[in-house]
Amino acid sequence: IRMLDAGLKEIAEQIAQSESKRADLAKRLRFNSGKMEYTETLEKELFYKVKRIEIDGKVASVDSGIAGEELHGFDFLLMRSVGVVFEYEGSKVAAHKYFPSALPKMDYDVRSGLDSHDVMWHKSLFRLRGELSCATGLIEKPAPACIMMDGSIAPLLSDKPAEESEIRPLYDEVVGEYRRLYETAWSKGCTLLGVIKDSRSKRFIEIVGRHAQYEQGLQHTTDTNFLYFMLEEGERT
């Protein structure tokens, strides 16, 4: 137990040192931000204050939950998608409504003989199909001004199975659902918003590292981890 405690203490100290170093680099970057130009970015400043606006109207969101089990002889998936529409008056929630209901029915799918790659595609695409269909239906009826989707609002290359895959028809259905979502949002004047909590991206770090010459201190840092220290409340980059 003592050896375990010593090991955990060492790990905790390493993490604390790394976080302290990132916080120091973030402060230095803020201080020097006006002295550097970033040709790769759309905006010249490194960070901006978020402009607060009055919110009136309907804002919606869609998400889903999925459970899967790999059993002897077949793979079983169970999924449910639900949307919610918040109606704002004077930037405060005045009412909310679930779509199609607070507890929608489950969708299920059973496949057999899938290899390891097909199993991953099957799970991801099955969830996407249900989520996109729910979002399209929500836009058609409650007609919100914007709708937030969990993740990307475009098909990802990683979700595309091989041509000969048994899952390829399911991928084609998902692409069709994306098209239907875009067309419905366009016709209803609804803005699609993709919400990505942590993309594990290092694009921001790569850019500032080259210009600020901080590469050595940012090698093992993701964008979101560094921005946690660099940005203050009410700021964006």
Side-chain angles (χ1 to χ4, degrees):
I1 294 175
R2 289 180 180 177
M3 289 179 64
L4 180 62
D5 290 343
L8 288 174
K9 184 178 179 181
E10 184 180 352
I11 291 171
E13 288 174 350
Q14 289 176 356
I15 293 172
Q17 288 174 6
S18 297
E19 296 287 88
S20 178
K21 192 171 184 179
R22 288 166 191 158
D24 180 60
L25 288 174
K27 288 179 182 178
R28 287 163 57 191
L29 185 61
R30 282 186 69 94
F31 181 76
N32 296 317
S33 62
K35 303 173 184 177
M36 293 176 284
E37 290 188 8
Y38 302 91
T39 56
E40 303 97 326
T41 61
L42 294 174
E43 297 174 315
K44 291 184 179 181
E45 299 297 329
L46 196 60
F47 49 89
Y48 293 85
K49 284 287 184 183
V50 175
K51 295 178 181 179
R52 295 187 179 275
I53 60 172
E54 192 81 1
I55 302 175
D56 287 291
K58 296 176 182 177
V59 177
S61 182
V62 170
D63 202 358
S64 61
I66 187 166
E69 195 68 45
E70 297 176 35
L71 302 171
H72 181 69
F74 65 93
D75 300 294
F76 180 74
L77 291 179
L78 195 64
M79 190 272 299
R80 177 160 58 194
S81 297
V82 64
V84 62
V85 183
F86 295 100
E87 191 160 353
Y88 284 85
E89 292 179 3
S91 297
K92 293 183 179 180
V93 177
H96 73 278
K97 186 177 182 180
Y98 292 100
F99 180 87
S101 66
L103 287 172
K105 70 179 184 67
M106 294 279 191
D107 291 323
Y108 63 88
D109 198 4
V110 179
R111 302 288 176 112
S112 59
L114 299 179
D115 63 26
S116 57
H117 291 96
D118 282 345
V119 166
M120 290 188 295
W121 284 322
H122 180 214
K123 189 173 183 178
S124 178
L125 293 170
F126 180 62
R127 179 192 63 80
L128 271 174
R129 185 180 64 180
E131 207 166 292
L132 293 167
S133 177
C134 179
T136 302
L138 192 154
I139 295 171
E140 286 175 338
K141 294 180 180 178
C146 64
I147 184 169
M148 293 180 284
M149 307 287 292
D150 182 19
S152 174
I153 55 171
L156 300 176
L157 189 60
S158 58
D159 283 326
K160 187 176 183 179
E163 290 284 351
E164 64 276 9
S165 171
E166 182 184 333
I167 305 299
R168 188 56 185 245
L170 179 57
Y171 171 78
D172 295 335
E173 286 184 44
V174 169
V175 171
E177 287 292 344
Y178 270 113
R179 289 199 184 101
R180 197 162 71 91
L181 175 67
Y182 300 155
E183 290 167 358
T184 305
W186 181 270
S187 66
K188 296 289 185 178
C190 178
T191 301
L192 299 177
L193 303 173
V195 181
I196 301 174
K197 294 175 283 296
D198 185 359
S199 66
R200 295 282 174 176
S201 172
K202 293 188 177 183
R203 179 61 175 154
F204 179 88
I205 292 299
E206 289 170 359
I207 292 172
V208 298
R210 285 197 298 271
H211 290 266
Q213 299 179 337
Y214 292 162
E215 293 96 335
Q216 193 63 34
L218 300 175
Q219 286 179 340
H220 305 292
T221 306
T222 60
D223 291 347
T224 53
N225 183 227
F226 186 74
L227 292 172
Y228 173 81
F229 296 106
M230 196 198 81
L231 295 177
E232 296 179 355
E233 184 176 346
E235 289 182 344
R236 67 168 182 84
T237 187

